[in-house]
């Protein structure tokens, strides 16, 4: 039996007419009642929930106010969006109430609100509304780009977009790094209206997809904006910004918002609204979050973690460690020790589909998830009871984002931070932060600690691969401490190396590359031979070392160093060679004919024909002979380089123009065809409902849908060199704009 369909009797033409009427009404409503720039909608007394929304009855023809309202149904947004929202949401959160009245009338937003406060809807709704009101169709191409720092977060945003946009006919795609079938993605990317992506993947399309065009872009969103704008993504983001139109709406959101003038200038915000709903709040973290800190000696951390897990077997626990190697070791070791609760692990070196599967599993089950900071931002795991930070976060924003994985929206949550005695300074920093972070210091109850070092030692004997994992965990932890910027908190010289190694079950303290351990009586001189980083001392002493630390152990192979750049071999299928160090590479001896005159070496082209000598080519005809002169060569190279650059620039401009024209022509054609089809459809009363069309797959315009589901690692840094667009204003102008903005924020 056919289900009753809403709007069954509507023809497409009628529907489009209704849409046009709705859009006209929304535009007039927004225009008539928009809040003054710089005002805070939260300060407006909200209308009662029963108050009429939209055009008010009576001769005046006025509209209901929407700034200050509390319900989504009172906002000037389309019926389709309201229907999508109604599936899950009724009342707005503070950040939504404060930002939507401004963003719906097209203003740029710099939004800050605590973790778990609902920032996602605050940008998804204006994105959908803007494109709906512009009657965006497949032929119009990319209308909005939402950028997220991680693949999991991008996936989560995409899911939310699908929920809210369920009744719209816009198309959307998830573009995240390392996808194998990138070619298929390239075919489709231009038909998508909303792209949810990571910076690397977006840039890859901008660079490689021949007809990729975002010249019509309407809205740019940066979620976790401070992270996207920090140095980790600097090159990629600058390259992206240089390739999108300056006239657009820009929405930046984060729990720890950037206030750097330079950062804001880079995204060219136009008179943005600075919305910081919790700026006056007493705390920087959610009110329902209870936070503890404990001073735990490094060698007791695993005992403490194990004991903690054993005492919370019915809780969902998220554990943060500082490196992939530690995550791997702790996960594998604890799994073998069987604590009595399911364990999972998540880190950036896992394949994307595995990461996504683990993310989804952890959403659904009570278990312990060991993770690096890949899970620290944005991820909305439901009902996490505890966040345990075994390793100290690098700074206060990282702390705030990590603990923000619990106590989300209206839920309660608890967190505990383990600090080594030498990291006490972090506790002071957290306690004196503004706004406050209400963190209590607690003494660990030593008598309750379960000691697992002996069990770990026997595990390491039983499973040789565990030995390697333990050593790598040891080294990467020390390296992570060594490379931290905040030297007031992180001091590798104060760490008890042998006790730490023993706590991982290691019988002998591994010798590590960047610290040279030498015997000196009962004391061991530890010397940082690694190049000076951030002012770490060159040599220092650690008291009361046992002599065993001087025993030469297998040095850690290069690939252990996840914190330093690693040489990676990538095969033709894009797979990384995980063990470059295991290859035996013999250097071939080159024979040099010392008697051959310089510059007379023969070169061959691909077909085996002799090419003119390189020297002659470089030195040019004016040189008279083939002898290479370095200054001439340099000059010639420079000239060639310049010429190539110019040529490349011209080619790019021409190509873009050509593509744009082609695209416009195509768009016009498609639009004309669509109009004709609709006329025809309207004439022959087809009576099919919208739902029928969707079910039969007959709708001309595709629904919001997934594009990406099989990913590899996000390529952290794209090395492509993109020139800045000529239509960009100068950095000075942008900085002036940003200064103006900051001035207005404080006034
Ligand atoms: N108006 C609302 N009513 C009910 N639930 C909501 C509302 N808005 C958001 N939520 C829910 O609150 C949770 C947190 O929302 P969201 O992930 O958008 O927070 P966030 O502020 O982006 O957090 P973070 O800073 O950690 O990224 C989600 O589960 C979301 O579904």
């Amino acid at each position: 039996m056919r289900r009753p369909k809403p709007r069954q009797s509507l023809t497409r033409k009628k529907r489009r007419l209704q849409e046009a009427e709705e859009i006209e009404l929304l535009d007039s409503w927004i225009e008539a009642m928009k809040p003054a720039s710089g005002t805070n909608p939260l300060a407006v007394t909200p209308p009662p929930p029963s108050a009429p929304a939209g055009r008010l009855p009576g001769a005046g023809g006025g509209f209901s106010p929407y700034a200050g309202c509390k319900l989504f149904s009172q906002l000037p947004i389309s019926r389709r969006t309201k229907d999508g929202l109604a599936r899950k949401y009724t009342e707005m959160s503070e950040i939504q109430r404060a930002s939507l009245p401004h963003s719906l009338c097209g203003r740029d937003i710099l939004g800050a609100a605590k973790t778990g406060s609902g920032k996602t809807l605050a940008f998804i709704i204006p994105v959908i509304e803007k494109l709906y009101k512009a009657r965006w169709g497949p032929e119009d191409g990319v209308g909005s780009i939402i950028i997220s720092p991680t693949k999991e977060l991008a996936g989560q945003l995409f899911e939310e977009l699908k929920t809210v946009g369920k009744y719209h006919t816009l198309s959307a795609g998830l573009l995240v790094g390392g996808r194998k079938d990138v070619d298929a993605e390239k075919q489709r990317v231009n038909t998508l209206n909303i792209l949810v992506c990571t910076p690397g993947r977006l840039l890859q399309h901008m660079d490689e997809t021949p007809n990729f065009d975002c010249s019509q872009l309407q809205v740019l969103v940066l979620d976790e904006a401070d992270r996207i704008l920090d140095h980790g993504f600097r090159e990629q983001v600058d390259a992206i910004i240089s390739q999108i139109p300056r006239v657009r709406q820009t929405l930046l959101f984060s729990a720890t918002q950037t206030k750097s003038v330079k950062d804001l200038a880079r995204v060219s915000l136009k008179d943005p609204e600075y919305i910081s709903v919790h700026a006056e709040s007493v705390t920087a973290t959610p009110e329902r979050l209870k936070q503890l800190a404990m001073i735990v000696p490094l060698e007791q951390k695993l005992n403490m973690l194990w004991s903690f897990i054993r005492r919370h077997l019915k809780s969902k626990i998220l554990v943060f460690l500082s490196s992939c190697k530690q995550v791997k070791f702790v996960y594998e070791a604890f799994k073998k020790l069987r604590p009595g609760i399911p364990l999972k692990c998540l880190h950036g070196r896992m394949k994307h589909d595995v990461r996504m599967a683990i993310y989804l599993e952890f959403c659904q089950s009570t278990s312990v998830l060991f993770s690096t900071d890949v899970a620290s931002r944005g991820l909305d795991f439901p009902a996490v009871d505890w966040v345990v930070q075994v390793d100290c976060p690098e700074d206060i924003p990282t702390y705030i984002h990590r603990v923000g994985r619990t106590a989300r929206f209206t839920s309660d949550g608890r967190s505990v931070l383990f600090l080594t005695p030498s990291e006490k300074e972090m506790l002071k920093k957290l306690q004196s932060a503004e706004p406050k972070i209400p963190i209590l210091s607690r003494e660990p109850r030593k008598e309750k600690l379960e000691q697992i070092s002996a069990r770990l030692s026997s595990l390491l004997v039983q499973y040789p691969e565990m030995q390697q994992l333990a050593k790598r965990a040891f080294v990467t932890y020390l390296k992570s401490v060594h490379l931290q910027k905040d030297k007031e908190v992180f001091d590798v010289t104060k760490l008890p190396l042998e006790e730490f190694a023993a706590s991982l079950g290691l019988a002998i303290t591994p010798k590590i590359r960047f610290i040279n351990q030498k015997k000196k009586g009962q004391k061991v001189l530890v010397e940082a031979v690694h190049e000076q980083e951030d002012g770490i001392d060159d040599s220092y002493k650690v008291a009361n070392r046992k002599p065993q630390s001087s025993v030469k152990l297998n040095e850690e192979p290069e690939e252990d160093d996840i914190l330093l750049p690693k040489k990676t071999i990538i095969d033709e299928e894009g797979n990384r060679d995980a063990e470059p160090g295991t290859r035996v590479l013999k250097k071939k001896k080159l024979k040099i004919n010392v008697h051959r005159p310089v510059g007379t070496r023969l070169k061959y082209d691909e077909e085996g024909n002799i090419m003119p000598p390189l020297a002659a080519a470089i030195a040019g005809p004016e040189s008279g002979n083939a002898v290479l002169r370095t200054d001439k060569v340099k000059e010639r190279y420079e000239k060639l380089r310049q010429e190539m650059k110019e040529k490349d620039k011209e080619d790019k401009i021409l190509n873009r123009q050509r593509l744009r024209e082609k695209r416009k022509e195509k768009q016009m054609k498609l639009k004309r065809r669509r109009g004709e089809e609709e006329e025809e459809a309207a004439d022959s009363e087809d009576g099919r409902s919208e739902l029928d069309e969707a079910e039969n797959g007959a709708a001309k315009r595709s629904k919001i849908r997934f594009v990406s589901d099989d990913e590899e690692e996000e390529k952290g840094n794209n090395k492509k060199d993109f020139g800045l667009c000529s239509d960009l204003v100068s950095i000075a102008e942008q900085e002036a704009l940003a200064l103006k903005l900051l001035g207005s924020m404080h006034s």
Side-chain angles (χ1 to χ4, degrees):
M1 211 176 81
R2 283 164 69 87
R3 281 179 287 147
K5 307 283 169 13
R7 311 187 198 103
Q8 191 153 15
S9 61
L10 293 181
T11 61
R12 281 197 215 165
K13 192 173 183 184
K14 272 189 195 157
R15 209 172 54 233
R16 281 187 68 78
L17 274 174
Q18 273 191 354
E19 275 176 20
E21 273 170 26
E22 184 187 37
I23 291 168
E24 205 185 316
L25 174 94
L26 291 174
D27 283 340
S28 321
W29 184 6
I30 289 172
E31 190 52 35
M33 304 308 291
K34 66 181 176 195
S37 193
T39 56
N40 180 3
L42 292 177
V44 179
T45 317
S50 55
R55 199 185 289 280
L56 295 173
F63 291 94
S64 62
Y66 62 86
C69 66
K70 279 191 162 177
L71 305 177
F72 286 113
S73 57
Q74 296 170 318
L75 283 177
I77 53 177
S78 59
R79 168 67 25 218
R80 288 166 190 257
T81 303
K82 281 183 183 170
D83 289 347
L85 285 165
R87 299 166 71 212
K88 249 174 111 179
Y89 310 107
T90 318
E91 207 170 306
M92 284 184 271
S93 70
E94 285 197 344
I95 182 69
Q96 293 155 6
R97 285 180 64 205
S99 66
L100 285 170
H102 288 294
S103 55
L104 287 172
C105 51
R107 294 175 186 151
D108 284 1
I109 304 283
L110 184 58
K114 288 177 192 179
T115 52
S117 58
K119 294 183 285 294
T120 312
L121 287 185
F123 57 77
I124 279 181
I125 295 172
V127 163
I128 293 178
E129 284 299 294
K130 181 115 180 178
L131 299 188
Y132 171 70
K133 286 191 285 173
R135 313 203 76 162
W136 214 258
E139 65 279 3
D140 295 309
V142 180
S144 177
I145 295 178
I146 301 174
I147 306 183
S148 132
T150 64
K151 295 178 230 179
E152 287 80 7
L153 183 52
Q156 186 183 291
L157 299 179
F158 190 68
E159 287 303 315
E160 195 73 324
L161 181 66
K162 286 204 294 183
T163 305
V164 182
K166 183 171 167 54
Y167 301 106
H168 280 275
T169 52
L170 295 161
S171 58
L174 176 68
L175 311 179
V176 293
R179 203 178 140 85
K180 277 177 199 146
D181 56 344
V182 68
D183 290 336
E185 201 177 275
K186 283 177 186 172
Q187 303 289 319
R188 285 187 284 172
V189 71
N190 265 324
T191 62
L192 299 172
N193 302 142
I194 305 172
L195 306 182
V196 182
C197 45
T198 48
R201 187 49 150 213
L202 175 61
L203 199 51
Q204 190 182 356
H205 278 291
M206 285 181 155
D207 190 36
E208 292 174 7
T209 305
N211 54 349
F212 184 72
D213 178 18
C214 38
S215 59
Q216 306 298 313
L217 189 83
Q218 304 292 301
V219 197
L220 172 71
V221 179
L222 304 189
D223 190 19
E224 306 296 341
D226 57 330
R227 173 78 187 94
I228 301 235
L229 291 171
D230 81 10
H231 47 265
F233 289 110
R234 182 171 297 274
E235 275 180 35
Q236 294 175 355
V237 170
D238 286 349
I240 289 168
I241 304 269
S242 73
Q243 295 184 63
I244 57 176
R246 281 198 63 233
V247 182
R248 58 165 197 261
Q249 186 178 13
T250 308
L251 309 173
L252 310 186
F253 281 89
S254 182
T256 48
Q257 192 54 279
T258 181
K259 287 195 180 148
S260 148
V261 172
K262 279 196 180 144
D263 281 349
L264 299 176
R266 283 165 59 215
V267 281
S268 320
L269 292 176
K270 295 176 305 296
D271 301 325
E273 298 295 324
Y274 180 65
I275 305 204
S276 178
V277 291
H278 301 120
E280 283 86 43
S281 165
V282 196
T283 60
T285 43
E287 262 129 48
R288 288 165 176 271
L289 173 67
K290 291 198 180 100
Q291 304 167 65
L292 293 178
M294 287 182 181
I295 303 300
V296 184
L298 183 57
E299 66 277 15
Q300 291 296 333
K301 271 189 184 179
L302 283 190
N303 295 331
M304 179 60 89
L305 178 62
W306 174 262
S307 312
F308 180 90
I309 292 173
R310 293 279 300 150
R311 282 208 301 278
H312 295 89
L313 294 179
K314 297 237 152 45
S315 303
K316 189 188 266 197
I317 305 170
L318 178 55
V319 177
F320 284 106
L321 293 143
S322 61
S323 72
C324 304
K325 299 279 157 66
Q326 279 165 280
V327 167
K328 272 191 202 167
F329 171 69
V330 178
Y331 167 68
E332 290 297 339
F334 279 27
K335 209 169 63 171
K336 291 188 168 57
L337 296 179
R338 297 172 179 268
I341 181 171
L343 305 178
K344 299 179 171 54
C345 74
L346 188 72
H347 55 76
R349 294 201 163 189
M350 296 166 118
K351 292 231 174 194
H352 177 68
D353 42 3
V354 180
R355 269 162 71 169
M356 271 324 259
I358 287 166
Y359 161 75
L360 291 174
E361 273 175 28
F362 188 61
C363 282
Q364 283 153 13
S365 67
T366 297
S367 50
V368 180
L369 177 67
F370 300 103
S371 178
T372 56
D373 277 323
V374 75
S376 67
R377 274 185 181 254
L379 294 188
D380 186 43
F381 300 114
V384 172
D385 298 297
W386 280 95
V387 168
V388 182
Q389 302 191 52
V390 173
D391 293 332
C392 182
E394 64 171 301
D395 51 21
I396 291 177
T398 308
Y399 174 88
I400 292 173
H401 284 281
R402 281 179 174 185
V403 294
R405 296 318 98 208
T406 183
R408 293 180 71 72
F409 209 66
T410 50
S411 315
D412 294 328
R414 283 183 283 181
S415 73
V416 60
L417 167 67
F418 299 170
L419 293 171
T420 63
S422 60
E423 289 163 351
K424 268 185 189 158
E425 190 59 31
M426 179 54 98
L427 185 57
K428 281 192 206 150
K429 289 190 181 203
L430 290 169
Q431 285 172 333
S432 56
E434 266 318 319
K436 293 234 165 333
I437 295 173
I439 182 168
L440 295 174
S441 174
R442 281 276 159 81
E443 278 290 314
R445 290 162 71 187
K446 287 177 197 136
E447 71 283 359
K448 296 254 172 188
L449 272 189
E450 241 180 273
Q451 298 293 331
I452 54 165
S453 307
R455 292 174 69 191
L456 286 175
S457 298
S458 39
L459 268 188
L460 265 54
V461 173
Q462 204 180 339
Y463 303 96
E465 70 278 8
M466 289 299 297
Q467 276 271 354
Q468 285 307 317
L469 284 181
K471 277 186 218 159
R472 287 170 184 184
F474 175 87
V475 174
T476 54
Y477 174 75
L478 295 178
K479 260 179 193 166
S480 74
V481 174
H482 175 60
L483 293 176
Q484 289 290 354
K485 280 206 181 110
D486 190 346
K487 295 300 173 202
E488 284 176 353
V489 175
F490 299 98
D491 187 349
V492 79
T493 68
K494 292 187 179 152
L495 299 178
L497 304 186
E498 272 142 35
E499 289 86 340
F500 176 42
S503 76
L504 304 182
L506 288 165
I508 306 168
T509 309
K511 185 171 169 61
I512 47 178
R513 213 164 257 226
F514 65 98
I515 297 178
N516 188 19
Q517 297 136 284
K518 287 182 195 163
K519 203 171 15 168
K520 196 183 177 193
Q522 276 307 295
K523 295 180 178 180
V524 175
L525 178 71
V526 182
E527 198 177 306
V529 292
H530 197 71
E531 214 171 76
Q532 283 288 291
E533 294 236 23
D534 307 307
I536 202 162
D537 278 351
D538 220 356
S539 64
Y540 44 83
K541 288 181 179 182
V542 175
N544 300 322
R545 291 280 140 263
K546 288 174 209 150
Q548 66 172 21
S549 68
S550 64
V551 177
K552 258 210 163 196
L553 261 184
N554 0 344
E555 283 205 347
E556 284 298 316
E558 193 95 300
E559 72 271 57
D560 280 340
D561 188 355
I562 59 143
L563 300 152
L564 293 172
K566 177 191 157 190
K567 284 176 214 142
T568 316
I569 297 166
I570 301 175
D571 67 18
E572 281 165 10
E573 281 155 36
N575 300 318
R576 283 148 195 268
D577 182 346
E579 301 283 336
T582 57
R583 293 179 171 203
V584 185
L585 293 175
K586 277 194 179 167
K587 262 195 178 176
K588 246 187 172 180
K589 273 193 181 172
L590 287 176
K591 279 189 182 169
I592 298 168
N593 179 359
V594 287
H595 306 295
R596 190 180 62 214
V598 182
T600 58
R601 187 170 170 179
L602 295 181
K603 295 219 74 176
Y604 297 87
D605 65 16
E606 280 172 6
E607 266 129 24
N609 305 317
I610 294 174
M611 283 164 56
L614 177 70
I618 293 167
E622 72 277 11
S623 63
N625 61 41
V627 175
L628 270 173
R629 278 189 41 207
T630 8
D631 51 345
K632 279 257 179 206
V633 173
K634 269 189 192 161
E635 206 178 287
R636 179 98 177 115
Y637 263 133
E638 191 47 44
K639 213 169 142 200
L640 281 174
R641 214 173 281 143
Q642 284 307 329
E643 281 171 15
M644 276 169 74
K645 255 191 190 169
E646 290 299 316
K647 189 86 192 97
D648 198 37
K649 231 182 190 175
E650 280 169 26
D651 283 355
K652 270 187 183 162
I653 293 169
L654 274 175
N655 200 30
R656 268 194 210 137
Q657 267 175 359
R658 199 173 49 80
L659 287 171
R660 214 163 285 158
E661 275 161 21
K662 237 180 155 179
R663 204 169 160 66
K664 269 196 185 139
E665 211 175 280
K666 209 170 144 195
Q667 282 173 5
M668 293 305 295
K669 256 191 204 163
L670 278 166
K671 273 207 161 155
R672 268 202 303 274
R673 202 182 308 153
R674 201 170 71 183
E676 283 164 18
E677 275 174 13
E678 278 168 6
E679 293 293 328
E680 278 169 25
D683 291 343
S684 61
E685 171 74 46
D686 59 6
R688 282 185 313 155
S689 75
E690 187 181 339
L691 209 58
D692 277 338
E693 289 167 30
E695 279 170 357
N696 298 337
K700 280 277 176 298
R701 290 202 264 163
S702 46
K703 293 249 168 195
I704 286 182
R705 62 180 190 270
F706 253 121
V707 158
S708 168
D709 53 4
D710 178 25
E711 313 297 331
E712 284 177 350
E713 280 298 291
E714 168 70 0
K715 284 165 199 154
N717 45 355
N718 193 311
K719 290 152 212 117
K720 301 287 180 239
D721 182 18
F722 290 95
L724 285 183
C725 249
S726 53
D727 62 347
L728 271 185
V729 289
S730 70
I731 295 291
E733 273 175 78
Q734 294 188 21
E735 287 194 6
L737 263 172
L739 270 171
K740 211 172 107 194
L741 151 72
L742 281 181
S744 67
M745 270 183 217
H746 298 303
S747 61

